[in-house]
Amino acid sequence: MNSVTNDPAGGTVRRPVIGICARTAPVTLQGSELTVSLALQSHVAFLSQAGCTPLLLPLLPGAQDLVGRLDGLLVPGGPDLDPVLYGQDAHPATRAMTPDADRTELALLRAALDAQLPVLAICRGMQLLNVAHGGTLHQHLSDTTGHDGHRPPAEAFTLGRHPLKLRPGSGIAGVLDEAEPQTACHHHQGVDRLGAGLTATGWAGDGTVEAVEVTGHPFAVGVQWECGQTPDRRLHQALARAAGHPKN
């Protein structure tokens, strides 16, 4: 499916439609307490600027049926996954779970992968990608790494910065294309056992998996860092290209 916009030259331009999995959050609007479905505005803006039409996908039963109308899927960050999905009990630090939404999003992701749609999975999205392939998660990374550098303790939202080691020749290395890339992360969970059919292609210095790719898929990439919380648009642009738009 492509959306259609007017071309200044008088024709039409077909823009790939990229689904963005919605998150729900409480907000106060004009004095009223509301729960809303939302997406990070940078995801919307970066995809639009890359020549795509972003489409917000509320995580309701049957969301996977929309895959046939999409040209790509972005699975953003969000709350911790229900550990039942990977056969574990909840760690005391695991919080803000949304079990019904988790299962809907998992079905949507699997349908997108089966349809060979381009997928960009970010933070929680990368963890979901791993679980979808039978992998497991470290529920609280500091138990394993001995530090909180991936989610620095601070009153305000703070990004952890770590040098990245990328697998030479990998898709993510080609997208970032720099000698000394760094993460900009904010997470307390991460990949433990890597799922079947995934290849780890990026790591932090402490061994934490920071990027994975679906083996044999044209473009299905997961990154653990907060892509969208910085001005870096390269991954959104790569998703747009994979969805069929030539703009760099």
Side-chain angles (χ1 to χ4, degrees):
M1 171 181 170
N2 290 281
S3 64
V4 179
T5 58
N6 291 327
D7 188 314
T12 59
V13 177
R14 297 198 173 273
R15 296 169 64 90
V17 175
I18 307 296
I20 302 177
C21 297
R23 300 289 174 242
T24 58
V27 300
T28 301
L29 183 64
Q30 295 181 338
S32 296
E33 301 297 323
L34 305 172
T35 300
V36 300
S37 294
L38 52 80
L40 194 64
Q41 181 59 29
S42 59
H43 292 321
V44 173
F46 291 175
L47 289 173
S48 178
Q49 291 159 6
C52 299
T53 296
L55 178 66
L56 188 67
L57 301 176
L59 296 179
L60 300 173
Q64 67 271 20
D65 297 337
L66 295 173
V67 161
R69 303 183 182 185
L70 303 176
D71 300 295
L73 181 67
L74 188 151
V75 187
D80 293 339
L81 290 171
D82 184 355
V84 170
L85 293 175
Y86 48 95
Q88 294 183 10
D89 295 327
H91 185 284
T94 298
R95 76 275 188 267
M97 293 177 289
T98 54
D100 290 343
D102 291 348
R103 284 156 179 77
T104 297
E105 191 170 42
L106 190 59
L108 174 60
L109 174 61
R110 284 172 169 159
L113 292 171
D114 288 345
Q116 294 288 290
L117 288 187
V119 172
L120 174 58
I122 300 166
C123 196
R124 164 198 158 100
M126 188 185 98
Q127 295 165 14
L128 186 75
L129 186 63
N130 189 51
V131 170
H133 286 81
T136 63
L137 304 179
H138 292 297
Q139 290 192 51
H140 198 52
L141 266 180
S142 62
D143 291 348
T144 300
T145 63
H147 65 84
D148 288 317
H150 294 275
R151 187 181 66 175
E155 290 186 12
F157 183 86
T158 304
L159 295 173
R161 303 282 181 167
H162 300 278
L164 269 174
K165 179 182 178 182
L166 301 180
R167 184 185 295 275
S170 63
I172 190 67
V175 170
L176 297 184
D177 192 24
E178 61 180 292
E180 298 180 349
Q182 283 197 336
T183 65
C185 61
H186 189 90
H187 63 100
H188 81 111
Q189 299 192 336
V191 168
D192 182 5
R193 186 181 72 243
L194 189 67
L198 294 179
T199 301
T201 54
W203 301 264
D206 60 13
T208 298
V209 175
E210 292 286 339
V212 300
E213 299 174 30
V214 178
T215 307
H217 193 287
F219 184 92
V221 174
V223 297
Q224 187 58 73
W225 60 89
E226 293 289 346
C227 171
Q229 296 278 6
T230 72
D232 188 348
R233 308 178 186 192
R234 287 173 292 181
L235 280 161
H236 295 79
Q237 292 167 346
L239 176 61
R241 288 193 297 272
H245 196 280
K247 183 174 182 178
N248 294 319

